[in-house]
Amino acid sequence: MSGHSKWHNIQAKKGKADAARGRIFTKRGREIAVAAKGNPNPDTNSKLADAIAKAKANNMPNDNILRCIKKAAGESDAANFETLTYEGYGVGGSAVIISTLTDNKNRTAGDVRSTLSKCGGELGSTGCVSYMFDNKGLIVVERTVDLDEDTVTEYAIEAGADDVVTLDDVFEIYTAPAAFSEVRKYLEGKGLNFLEADVRMIPQSRITLNEENTEKFLKLLDKLEELDDVQDVYHNVELPDDDEEE
């Protein structure tokens, strides 16, 4: 499996705008709150531990994370949220998968459909593009002078990962979805810091759009990510290094 992102550029882009960072923290906070409902202890709640790891990879402060957990422990609102996934098409035959967390699926479906339509795309039926993606755990670790490929590969094998891809600036560690929590926990125990840590939809191949359609597609991504109910957006478009999705 080949690498697909310049992770430093992604992180730099995330930090450029306070509004964008705030949206990310809100989305990650909602995931934490939902995961913490019923069991606010990440040591015995792997779903919560995974949500925390994802939030930390997005540079969410520990204080924010703790507040989300405490809030969830004292409220019932989080129990009303459900995860819904939408599939559709962008310009140029591009494929898009939108993961949402919502307490009003009619509102969310309408917002996603409208956003796709306004940006030259359309909402599709379940399964219309997901067959072009693989659901995998992905852990991205920064490559440093103190962390070599042999060490990371050894850790990954010991943890039960499926594959390790070495890029110029990072190591990408892939796992089966069911093994993600254990692999993440093992690597954390080895002291590795994550730039990304999540189970996500990874395209089997990517397409290249012309300049005009690339601009339209970037606008679609921005508009989708601005929606409160949208947690993550996955796609199969090869974008410039500094314009990759989360």
Side-chain angles (χ1 to χ4, degrees):
M1 183 178 295
S2 62
H4 58 268
S5 300
K6 296 293 184 181
W7 296 94
H8 284 303
N9 288 339
I10 296 173
Q11 296 299 322
K13 181 185 176 187
K14 286 178 181 174
K16 286 180 180 177
D18 288 342
R21 186 167 60 248
R23 283 198 301 271
I24 291 172
F25 290 173
T26 298
K27 295 175 189 295
R28 300 293 84 92
R30 182 180 290 182
E31 290 177 355
I32 290 171
V34 171
K37 201 65 191 175
N39 182 1
N41 183 357
D43 292 334
T44 56
N45 182 344
S46 61
K47 184 177 180 181
L48 174 57
D50 291 344
I52 291 172
K54 183 176 178 180
K56 286 183 175 180
N58 284 150
N59 300 315
M60 188 171 177
N62 285 330
D63 287 347
N64 294 43
I65 292 172
L66 291 173
R67 279 198 298 270
C68 291
I69 295 173
K70 290 178 180 178
K71 184 177 180 181
E75 296 185 356
S76 59
D77 293 358
N80 298 323
F81 283 94
E82 61 180 319
T83 300
L84 296 174
T85 301
Y86 300 91
E87 301 179 33
Y89 306 92
V91 294
S94 53
V96 182
I97 297 178
I98 303 120
S99 175
T100 71
L101 197 57
T102 179
D103 58 354
N104 186 328
K105 59 184 180 182
N106 290 331
R107 177 194 65 220
T108 304
D111 287 345
V112 170
R113 181 183 293 105
S114 174
T115 301
L116 284 166
S117 179
K118 289 177 181 177
C119 295
E122 63 177 327
L123 186 64
S125 58
T126 300
C128 68
V129 299
S130 56
Y131 70 92
M132 295 186 281
F133 294 74
D134 293 319
N135 191 32
K136 289 181 176 290
L138 173 60
I139 297 171
V140 181
V141 178
E142 184 175 13
R143 194 174 178 184
T144 67
V145 293
D146 299 322
L147 192 63
D148 59 59
E149 182 177 359
D150 289 342
T151 299
V152 173
T153 300
E154 180 182 348
Y155 288 167
I157 292 173
E158 292 173 350
D162 290 341
D163 192 18
V164 178
V165 175
T166 301
L167 302 178
D168 290 341
D169 51 356
V170 299
F171 300 102
E172 294 182 343
I173 302 165
Y174 293 88
T175 80
F180 174 77
S181 294
E182 285 302 316
V183 173
R184 175 196 54 72
K185 186 176 180 179
Y186 184 90
L187 296 178
E188 279 183 346
K190 291 296 185 180
L192 300 189
N193 295 316
F194 307 147
L195 298 179
E196 294 283 336
D198 190 19
V199 176
R200 59 174 58 197
M201 301 298 291
I202 297 174
Q204 297 163 2
S205 62
R206 291 181 179 257
I207 66 172
T208 301
L209 302 176
N210 61 34
E211 184 175 353
E212 179 182 355
N213 280 344
T214 296
E215 290 182 4
K216 291 180 179 177
F217 189 78
L218 288 172
K219 181 180 179 181
L220 169 62
L221 292 183
D222 287 341
K223 294 298 183 183
L224 285 172
E225 289 169 358
E226 286 174 3
L227 296 177
D228 290 341
D229 297 334
V230 171
Q231 296 299 112
D232 296 287
V233 180
Y234 310 111
H235 62 81
N236 67 341
V237 176
E238 190 70 54
L239 295 177
D241 291 339
D242 59 348
D243 285 316
E244 277 288 351
E245 85 278 25
E246 302 182 36

